[in-house]
Amino acid sequence: MEVYGYWGVINKYCIWVLKFIYTNVLWLAFSILGLGALGLAPSTTALFAVQRQWIRGETEIPVFKYFWNYYKSSFIKSNFLFYIMMLLGWIIYFDLKFFMARDGLIFQTISLLLFILSIWYMIVFVYLFPIFIHFELSLLQYIRFACIVGLLHPFNTIIMLITVGLIYYFMLLFPNFFYLGGISLLTYCIMLFSYKCFNSDKLIKAKTLKRDSK
């Protein structure tokens, strides 16, 4: 029985809150299932996959089944891509620390370039999982395509990064929010902003690479 009016709004709100909490629990559980190091990437991929379906209007999908299927099918590839990015991140981080600790115009210039590169790295990383579950590409193409999306949609990227930053800051202030839907809300916002980019005219040629629903 469908509820209308004021109570209908509250009912829909409560349903969505429960969905975010439920998928957040799944993300935590399957991350632990993979011993953290191996479970984080496929669990995050599966979470984005479920939320992509919600954004596409398919809000009644069997969440657990969909999550589990995507977790299994993306386990190896998502981990490989994730740790490539982590390796690149560590290289940028340690190089930045190394050059910032030294004096001289050359070192300052290199530090500035590395700082710009680190910002671009964060942009690529934010887009990476949505692109991974939305397109069929090679591993290097995922990284390249994330660069392209960030370049073509600077305003969308800035708003998305601000939103992600605010949610992250809120989780720092209220740690319990991390367990009560914080990660799920954060990834949903990223997926929502990314999906708008994927359906823009500038990326119309890339739509042929879009994954079918699983």
Side-chain angles (χ1 to χ4, degrees):
M1 181 177 177
E2 189 172 355
V3 182
Y4 297 95
Y6 177 75
W7 290 108
V9 174
I10 294 178
N11 182 62
K12 289 181 180 179
Y13 173 78
C14 291
I15 290 174
W16 275 103
V17 169
L18 290 174
K19 284 184 175 182
F20 280 117
I21 293 174
Y22 178 51
T23 50
N24 207 83
V25 170
L26 287 179
W27 179 82
L28 286 169
F30 280 90
S31 294
I32 295 171
L33 180 65
L35 302 177
L38 294 177
L40 183 60
S43 187
T44 303
T45 301
L47 179 57
F48 273 110
V50 170
Q51 292 175 341
R52 184 189 70 150
Q53 297 306 100
W54 290 351
I55 292 170
R56 296 173 71 179
E58 300 177 29
T59 57
E60 302 301 324
I61 60 170
V63 173
F64 183 86
K65 180 181 178 181
Y66 199 90
F67 191 102
W68 172 239
N69 287 340
Y70 229 103
Y71 182 89
K72 291 187 297 182
S73 64
S74 67
F75 191 89
I76 296 176
K77 194 173 182 179
S78 64
N79 267 308
F80 196 65
L81 182 62
F82 177 73
Y83 282 106
I84 286 177
M85 289 299 297
M86 291 300 294
L87 177 61
L88 291 174
W90 278 111
I91 292 173
I92 294 172
Y93 172 75
F94 283 112
D95 282 350
L96 185 59
K97 285 191 64 177
F98 175 82
F99 288 107
M100 286 182 66
R102 280 151 180 80
D103 298 322
L105 181 60
I106 295 178
F107 293 117
Q108 291 177 356
T109 302
I110 296 175
S111 297
L112 178 60
L113 293 175
L114 285 170
F115 180 73
I116 295 172
L117 181 62
S118 66
I119 294 176
W120 196 250
Y121 170 84
M122 288 188 289
I123 293 172
V124 171
F125 198 87
V126 168
Y127 278 112
L128 196 61
F129 280 103
I131 288 173
F132 182 82
I133 60 96
H134 199 73
F135 296 93
E136 290 286 1
L137 303 168
S138 68
L139 290 173
L140 292 180
Q141 283 178 324
Y142 284 121
I143 298 174
R144 186 179 67 179
F145 198 60
C147 290
I148 293 173
V149 174
L151 181 64
L152 293 179
H153 302 275
F155 180 74
N156 184 85
T157 300
I158 292 171
I159 299 300
M160 179 171 63
L161 290 176
I162 291 173
T163 303
V164 169
L166 289 174
I167 296 173
Y168 178 73
Y169 181 69
F170 190 81
M171 284 193 288
L172 291 179
L173 290 178
F174 305 97
N176 288 336
F177 182 61
F178 174 85
Y179 303 101
L180 296 175
I183 293 297
S184 189
L185 177 61
L186 189 148
T187 54
Y188 183 85
C189 291
I190 294 174
M191 190 68 243
L192 183 62
F193 281 108
S194 299
Y195 192 77
K196 290 180 180 179
C197 295
F198 301 156
N199 287 284
S200 69
D201 293 336
K202 294 176 182 178
L203 297 175
I204 190 69
K205 293 181 180 180
K207 285 186 178 182
T208 56
L209 299 173
K210 189 180 300 183
R211 293 175 185 261
D212 293 327
S213 300
K214 293 192 177 184

